[in-house]
Amino acid sequence: MGFPGLFVTATDTDVGKTTVAVAIVGALRRQGWRVGVYKPVASGISGADAAAGDARRLWEAAGRPLTPQAVCPQAFAAPIAPSASARAEGRTVDEQLLVTGLSVWRESSDVVVVEGAGGLFSPLGDTLLNCDLARELGLPLVVVDAARLGMIGRTLATMRAARAEGLRVAAVVLSQVAAPQGGADPAGDDLIARDGAAEIAARLPGVPVAILGHAQPAETPAIDWSAASGAAQQAG
Ligand SMILES: [Mg+2]
């Protein structure tokens, strides 16, 4: 088995990936693991603040290990796809560094949590997609989607695409990115999330499916992230 870890990916951008990654990091730390955190590339980050945004949140969640620059070695200003963002400032994404940037975390941690950029098939560099990097790093996926209408179709499409790429999915987390509205109404956000999660779970036997409630620190039902990442097996 490879080095313990998880690659947090998503059905699309802005569906709650970082929030889910932060929750996973917190759970792993509570179980006593030294957690490495890695955001291979980020866009929408101004040059003077290279480790802001997602990388900063991951770094804080992990207890400020190493440096923010180690969390995200490549950041670009324009809030568009990283390769396009790099091009806009006359640079290119270093695809080798996307892979090798994780090494320092493997040397200093028990388990690594990697957050991709955008969705599973979003481009990272001129040739590499998120799914390609996940394969290169040898990490199982956590597929994140927003817990809102359409989650069943988006999540199942991403699952099938991941499997077609030969990638293993360790868990699905549906993230409530906004405060739930609608109370007990059948079209209320909480019921849509609960029914959607149940439907997805029924169609994905063997894959843990959970909801991360709005502003909650952990998902429900709790997923065993030590087992999902392989950290428990490595230690045992
Ligand atoms: Mg993010």
Side-chain angles (χ1 to χ4, degrees):
M1 143 182 286
F3 193 89
L6 295 162
F7 189 101
V8 181
T9 187
T11 59
D12 198 359
T13 191
D14 279 335
V15 296
K17 235 177 17 267
T18 309
T19 306
V20 170
V22 163
I24 294 171
V25 169
L28 287 167
R29 286 188 71 204
R30 285 192 293 279
Q31 289 171 327
W33 304 115
R34 293 174 304 158
V35 184
V37 283
Y38 185 49
K39 176 90 183 178
V41 62
S43 53
I45 303 289
S46 74
D49 201 12
D54 292 356
R56 171 66 61 160
R57 288 179 65 194
L58 294 169
W59 187 62
E60 299 280 355
R64 303 185 167 199
L66 301 183
T67 64
Q69 286 69 30
V71 179
C72 183
Q74 304 189 67
F76 305 97
I80 51 180
S83 50
S85 187
R87 209 153 41 234
E89 46 196 88
R91 301 162 68 194
T92 53
V93 174
D94 182 337
E95 296 201 320
Q96 196 56 44
L97 180 57
L98 294 176
V99 178
T100 58
L102 187 62
S103 302
V104 66
W105 294 106
R106 285 181 158 144
E107 289 156 12
S108 59
S109 316
D110 302 312
V111 56
V112 294
V113 175
V114 178
E115 181 190 348
L120 183 59
F121 284 70
S122 297
L124 291 172
D126 288 340
T127 66
L128 277 188
L129 307 178
N130 276 260
C131 58
D132 301 319
L133 182 62
R135 185 186 304 101
E136 286 266 343
L137 299 178
L139 296 173
L141 305 178
V142 176
V143 171
V144 177
D145 191 24
R148 58 180 175 233
L149 205 61
M151 76 186 97
I152 299 169
R154 290 189 302 266
T155 301
L156 294 180
T158 302
M159 287 291 300
R160 289 200 180 186
R163 288 172 169 173
E165 288 288 314
L167 298 169
R168 194 169 70 77
V169 178
V172 171
V173 181
L174 304 159
S175 183
Q176 269 189 331
V177 294
Q181 308 289 321
D185 187 291
D189 292 333
D190 279 333
L191 279 174
I192 285 175
R194 202 182 64 196
D195 291 351
E199 176 80 21
I200 290 165
R203 292 175 182 277
L204 298 174
V207 179
V209 177
I211 297 170
L212 180 60
H214 180 67
Q216 296 299 307
E219 74 287 344
T220 311
I223 290 173
D224 182 348
W225 295 114
S226 289
S229 65
Q233 296 86 323
Q234 193 86 352

